[in-house]
Structure formats: structure tokens, C-alpha cells
Amino acid sequence: MNTFIHPSLLLLGGALLLPLVRGPLRKFYLLLIPLLAFAAVLGNSLLSGHFAILPFMEWQLVFGRVDKLATAFALIMALVTVLATLYGLHVEKTVEHMAAWCYAAGSLGVIYCGDYLSLFLFWEMMAFSSVFLVWFRRGPQSLQTGYRYLLIHTLGGVILLAGILLRYQSVGDINFALMDISQPQLYTWLIMLGFGLNAAVVPLHSWLPDAYGEASFNGAVFLCAITTKTAVYALARACAGFEVLIVLGVIMALYGLFYALLENDIRRLLAWSIVSQVGYMVAGIGIGTELAINGAVAHAVVHILYKSLLFMGTGAVLYTTGQTKFTELGGLWRKMPATCGLTLVGCLSIAAAPCFAAYVSKSMIINAGFAAQQNWAAWLLMFAAIGTILYNGLKLPYFLFFGENRCSSTTWEKAGEPPLNMLIAMTIGATLCFLIGVAPGYLYSALPFATAYTPYTAFHLVETLQLLGFSALAFFLLKGLLAPKDVVYVDIDWFYRQGGRAFMWLVRNPLQWFDWAWGELYRSFALPLLMLMARFSGWFDWHIIDGIVDGLARTVRGLGGQLRLLQSGQMQYIFFQVFALAALALITLTLFLLF
């Protein structure tokens, strides 16, 4: 394998041909295209360097930069595309599969690109294709949520483009590489802000809980894996060591867990969990050491696995019951035992329990914080780990599967195991979460830097068991306070709502009064003045302008009548007679003078 094959081309080509594939071959085709893309990524992982270089004007567009950082993200993105497609294999909407593949193609394009121009192309492809995964649920809020998602990501794209243009003006190239974060310029902040919006950095995060909670059951699996983690890759590539990211990452980790503890909607809880867990990755990138970058990449990889598994589990509940609120669910382990067991693997993985996925990644970031003398950040991230155990390791499974049955009779009757393809996808995801947790060697070998890290030490095991035990005790002591309530909690949206109210007040009061006052002023003064001017203009036109024009016309017409007589035959006859007499008189005078 010495040829670079871009997996995005396979996904985009497959999406274009999908409407033509019907009948029994359709499901085979749906699995074939993501598997070919995954095979292409596996083949590319054996390469290193720049490939698929396209000269464009005075630039070189690099569509195939392959290194360990790109390979780690490309492998997990291609793998989750296979799992998510398998999970939604029974979805009949062809356009939903097309949108999902275009979305994944945009992510892989960003991961492999080596310049900002092609990055922006694939970045916008992600934004405009992923919004359909929200709209296709066709829920009561899907349309509005999708428009908001699209507007915010369009704004983020404009900010990113402004940073790219300013950087090109300053530096003179479009290479997508680590920026000079020691002396940040305006373009540095703009590019970081553009990436940070997609990473749901607080306070630019409000789009994520709304969109992921409102997406279709299948679309949410793609959404939870792609947008934020592609942004994490971009931050790791361009902003590693930018210390402001440490602060932002810690804020994300704490902010997300607070709202996840309050949330009543099972998928919005997972969305808030993404904000919190991506905070670990952002903080690791901000620390910037080799161990911290490795930890951020490892946590992104395992996060995609366990978070997609959790969204598959909650998506199965949505698919069978049509409900997503804790207050309308509960006790479902009796009706969905397989879904319950597989979802529990995801809960243990995100809780960083020994032998499960996050156990081998989250501690890398915390240890890197202590090693870099960022003790405050490391301690706060460790505190956030307790919150993660509470809301995702305990609250989600307890109130969804084991707690009080709050289901209506209709919901309880509809509850049951999802189709086989959904269970198979969940089983594969759960197996990978366990295998990585037990044997993380392959994951560590795929990380960007060769750093020695051993997760299974006596200290780490004891520390983790203490955190798990303390969190479990706190949960059962505070279970009443953590019980879900059918309440809508507003975070940064409060500012949006207050801003909306202020805007509406501005429109309804001073602007409307000004419009009324202007209308009255126009009606009372301006309109009569205009009518007076119009009447004067009419009189002036009729008596002065028309009089002059008509007088000239009559004069010209009279003169023309006189001149017309010259052209009559009578006048011509008289003229010839006069001419003949004059000629005769002239001849007579000449002869008289001569003789």
C-alpha cells in the first residue's frame, strides 16, 4: 500500500449513488461504503507524508497529510461511521444516510487536510450536512433547533474564515500547522475561536444540547462523535500549548457536569456530558506537553466509542418508546435487558471504571496537569470526574432502567428491544470499550508521541475505586435531590432570551413610537407640502412650459406654411418668368453698350 486513497471521496461518491441503489442490495451497499472508507483509512495509516497535492493559483492544496495525529482521529472517525451506519441500517430515508456520509466525509477531509483553504471547505461541509440530521427527526422543535444550529455554525465559519484571511495577510501562507501561540495575534484568537465554537467551548456551547437532544435517533450517533472531536483535532493541530485553553477546558468540565446533573432529558444529559468530557481534551491541549496531547487524543478516541454507545442505547429507548424524559421512563430493564446491559458498559466506560475505556485515557490528562505544575487544573478535573460518575455512571442507568417506573401504559407497551442491527452495533461498541480498557496497548501505540504511561498501577486503581465508592455513596444519599424533575433549565440561553426580550422591547416601544411619529409628521406636514409642490408644478408646467413650447410650435408651423408656398408650381412659374426677364434685360443692356 503506497497510494493514498481519500476516504471522503468514497463516502461522497457513495452518497451520490445511494438513491440509485434499491431492493435487497441496499443494505449491503449501506455497509459496503463505510467499510471501504475504513479500509482506505487503514491503508493510509501505513503511509507518512503529504499526498493528494493540488496546485491552485499560487498555493498548494494538501488533501492528504498523513501522520500519527491524523491517523488516530481518522481511524476512529471511519470506525464510528461504520457503527453508526450499521445502527441505522433499517432507516428508510435515503437522504438521511446521504447527509450522514457527507458529514463524515467533511470530518475526514478536515483531518487529512494540510492547508486552511481545504480545511474551510470541509469544515463548512460538516456544518451544512449535519443540520439535516436534526431536521430529519421532524419533532415539534426540530426545525427551529436546526436553524439555530446552522446559524451558529455559519457564524463560527465566518469567524474562522476571518482568522484564515488575516493569517494569510500576515504570514503569507495557508499551511494548517501549529501557530505561534507564544505571541498570539488577532488571527490566532479568531482561528482558535472558530475551532472552539465547534468544540462547544463555554460560552459558545449552547447549540450542542439543543441539537443533539433534538436529532433523530440515528443522527445523534453521528453528531456526538464528529463535530466536537473534529474540533479537538483542529485545536491539537493548531493551538497546542495555548494556555487559555486550560482555563476554558476546566470551565467546560465543571459547567457541563452541573447541567447534566439537573437535566431531565436522557439525550440532553449526554449532550451536556459531551461539553464536560471535551473539556478534558481542551485542557489537555492547553497544557500542551507530549503526555497531555496524548491524553487528549486518547480521550477523544475512547470518548467517541463510549459516547456513541450511550447515544445508541438512549436512541434505542427513543426508537421503541418515543420518549426521552426520565419523568416519562424508568424500570425499562425488564423490557429492554440487552439494551440495558450494553448501555451499562458505556456508563462504566465514561465513569472511568477499571477495565473500561476512559480509565486508560482520562488519568493521562490529569497526570499531565500535575506534571506541568498546573495543579489547580488537575484537581478540578479530578473533582469533575466525581460528577461524571454521578450523572452518567449512576443517574442515567438508575433512573432510566432501574428506578421507579414512570412510564405510561402506552409507553410501557411499546418498550422492547430494538432491531437486530442496532443491537449488533451496540455490542461492537461495548466490546471495543471493554477491550481498550483491558488492553490499551494498541491505543497507546497509535498516539502522536511515544510516552511511557501505565494506567494499571496500584495507586491509580486505589484512587479510582475511592472515587467510585465516594460517588456511589453520595448518589444514594442525595438520590432525592438528583431525582429528575420535569423542568427546563436555562443556562447561557438566559442571555439570549434576555437579549431577545430587549430587542422586542426596542422594536415595540421606541422604534414603533418613532415609526408612528414619523408617519404622523409625514401625514401632517410633509404630505400637504408635497401636494402643494405638485399643484404648483402642474400649473407651471401647464402655463409656462407648455405655453412656451406651444408658442414655438405655432411659430414654426406658420413659418413652415409660408415656406411651403415656395415649393408650389405657381411660385416656381413666376420665379422662372422673373428670371427670364432679368436675363433678357441683361442681354439687351450688354448689346447696347457694345454697339
Side-chain angles (χ1 to χ4, degrees):
M1 292 291 295
N2 57 2
T3 302
F4 176 82
I5 301 175
H6 207 304
S8 295
L9 291 179
L10 297 172
L11 290 171
L12 291 173
L16 290 175
L17 295 176
L18 181 58
L20 305 178
V21 182
R22 301 178 182 275
L25 290 177
R26 186 173 183 272
K27 290 185 177 180
F28 172 77
Y29 183 82
L30 283 173
L31 283 178
L32 176 64
I33 297 302
L35 285 172
L36 288 176
F38 182 66
V41 173
L42 284 175
N44 295 339
S45 67
L46 304 176
L47 306 175
S48 180
H50 289 184
F51 306 90
I53 301 175
L54 175 68
F56 179 72
M57 300 176 68
E58 70 269 22
W59 306 309
Q60 296 288 324
L61 305 185
V62 180
F63 290 95
R65 176 180 50 194
V66 183
D67 56 16
K68 298 196 75 173
L69 178 62
T71 297
F73 278 90
L75 282 170
I76 191 60
M77 289 301 180
L79 177 60
V80 80
T81 302
V82 175
L83 292 179
T85 303
L86 173 61
Y87 180 77
L89 197 63
H90 59 290
V91 173
E92 296 296 332
K93 296 176 184 175
T94 300
V95 287
E96 185 167 355
H97 292 290
M98 294 173 66
W101 285 358
C102 291
Y103 181 31
S107 173
L108 289 166
V110 170
I111 290 168
Y112 276 125
C113 74
D115 64 274
Y116 277 107
L117 190 57
S118 55
L119 177 142
F120 184 75
L121 168 68
F122 288 111
W123 197 264
E124 293 303 289
M125 183 188 297
M126 285 198 307
F128 284 93
S129 57
S130 58
V131 69
F132 290 97
L133 302 179
V134 179
W135 283 335
F136 286 149
R137 184 183 174 185
R138 300 185 184 278
Q141 300 296 323
S142 297
L143 186 63
Q144 297 93 322
T145 301
Y147 276 127
R148 181 189 186 190
Y149 175 90
L150 185 60
L151 286 171
I152 291 177
H153 282 277
T154 302
L155 174 62
V158 171
I159 294 171
L160 177 60
L161 180 61
I164 292 171
L165 294 175
L166 290 175
R167 182 187 179 278
Y168 177 72
Q169 185 182 39
S170 176
V171 179
D173 64 62
I174 58 173
N175 295 331
F176 177 37
L178 182 63
M179 295 185 290
D180 183 10
I181 49 90
S182 61
Q183 295 179 331
Q185 307 296 318
L186 177 59
Y187 66 80
T188 312
W189 292 99
L190 290 175
I191 291 174
M192 188 272 289
L193 191 63
F195 293 154
L197 188 145
N198 271 27
V201 170
V202 177
L204 307 175
H205 67 284
S206 57
W207 58 270
L208 192 151
D210 285 348
Y212 291 13
E214 194 61 34
S216 66
F217 78 92
N218 182 49
V221 180
F222 282 95
L223 288 169
C224 76
I226 292 179
T227 297
T228 51
K229 265 61 73 182
T230 305
V232 167
Y233 165 80
L235 287 170
R237 177 72 73 183
C239 303
F242 204 175
E243 291 192 353
V244 68
L245 294 176
I246 303 176
V247 179
L248 294 174
V250 171
I251 292 173
M252 291 175 67
L254 298 173
Y255 194 88
L257 79 85
F258 175 76
Y259 278 94
L261 287 170
L262 298 175
E263 187 56 59
N264 182 42
D265 188 285
I266 55 177
R267 300 201 305 165
R268 284 179 64 89
L269 180 149
L270 294 178
W272 282 114
S273 172
I274 292 176
V275 175
S276 180
Q277 295 302 300
V278 172
Y280 283 86
M281 306 168 207
V282 171
I285 293 168
I287 294 169
T289 62
E290 291 186 353
L291 180 60
I293 297 297
N294 273 1
V297 175
H299 200 51
V301 170
V302 301
H303 177 82
I304 289 173
L305 285 176
Y306 65 66
K307 190 59 69 175
S308 61
L309 174 59
L310 289 168
F311 267 97
M312 288 181 194
T314 55
V317 173
L318 170 64
Y319 180 78
T320 58
T321 68
Q323 305 296 332
T324 59
K325 292 183 178 181
F326 286 112
T327 50
E328 298 171 353
L329 297 166
L332 292 178
W333 71 272
R334 297 181 182 87
K335 302 294 292 285
M336 309 175 71
T339 300
C340 173
L342 294 170
T343 305
L344 277 176
V345 174
C347 294
L348 291 170
S349 296
I350 191 174
C355 299
F356 293 93
Y359 178 82
V360 302
S361 62
K362 189 180 294 186
S363 57
M364 293 178 70
I365 301 172
I366 295 174
N367 287 350
F370 285 121
Q373 305 301 314
Q374 298 288 348
N375 297 331
W376 67 273
W379 281 113
L380 288 175
L381 291 177
M382 188 175 293
F383 174 77
I386 299 174
T388 303
I389 299 170
L390 285 174
Y391 68 74
N392 232 147
L394 296 169
K395 176 182 176 178
L396 177 67
Y398 179 81
F399 290 111
L400 180 58
F401 293 109
F402 302 109
E404 178 186 351
N405 184 353
R406 298 181 176 88
C407 299
S408 65
S409 57
T410 304
T411 300
W412 185 255
E413 289 176 4
K414 291 193 297 183
E417 297 292 3
L420 182 61
N421 59 289
M422 297 173 72
L423 289 174
I424 293 174
M426 293 168 66
T427 302
I428 296 173
T431 303
L432 291 173
C433 285
F434 178 75
L435 290 177
I436 288 179
V438 172
Y442 178 76
L443 171 65
Y444 289 168
S445 66
L447 298 178
F449 302 104
T451 56
Y453 180 76
T454 304
Y456 286 99
T457 62
F459 176 81
H460 187 204
L461 279 170
V462 172
E463 178 186 57
T464 302
L465 292 175
Q466 287 177 341
L467 289 175
L468 290 170
F470 175 77
S471 300
L473 177 62
F475 177 78
F476 285 103
L477 290 176
L478 303 174
K479 187 169 57 176
L481 296 176
L482 295 175
K485 300 176 180 61
D486 193 10
V487 177
V488 176
Y489 293 99
V490 181
D491 65 308
I492 298 298
D493 277 347
W494 183 86
F495 295 100
Y496 293 144
R497 295 185 182 191
Q498 296 305 314
R501 291 193 180 100
F503 177 76
M504 293 305 296
W505 179 87
L506 182 67
V507 169
R508 290 172 179 171
N509 292 283
L511 290 181
Q512 189 174 11
W513 179 86
F514 179 78
D515 179 71
W516 173 84
W518 177 259
E520 288 298 310
L521 181 66
Y522 176 81
R523 186 180 62 82
S524 301
F525 298 99
L527 189 59
L529 180 61
L530 287 174
M531 295 302 296
L532 178 62
M533 293 176 63
R535 286 192 292 270
F536 173 77
S537 176
W539 177 88
F540 186 82
D541 178 70
W542 178 260
H543 292 86
I544 305 300
I545 302 299
D546 285 355
I548 294 174
V549 171
D550 291 347
L552 287 174
R554 286 191 292 271
T555 302
V556 171
R557 185 177 61 182
L559 182 61
Q562 297 300 319
L563 291 175
R564 189 171 60 250
L565 294 175
L566 297 177
Q567 301 298 321
S568 64
Q570 183 180 4
M571 290 300 298
Q572 291 179 4
Y573 176 75
I574 295 173
F575 175 78
F576 283 122
Q577 283 184 332
V578 171
F579 180 78
L581 290 173
L584 181 61
L586 181 62
I587 293 172
T588 303
L589 179 62
T590 303
L591 291 175
F592 177 78
L593 292 174
L594 290 175
F595 298 101

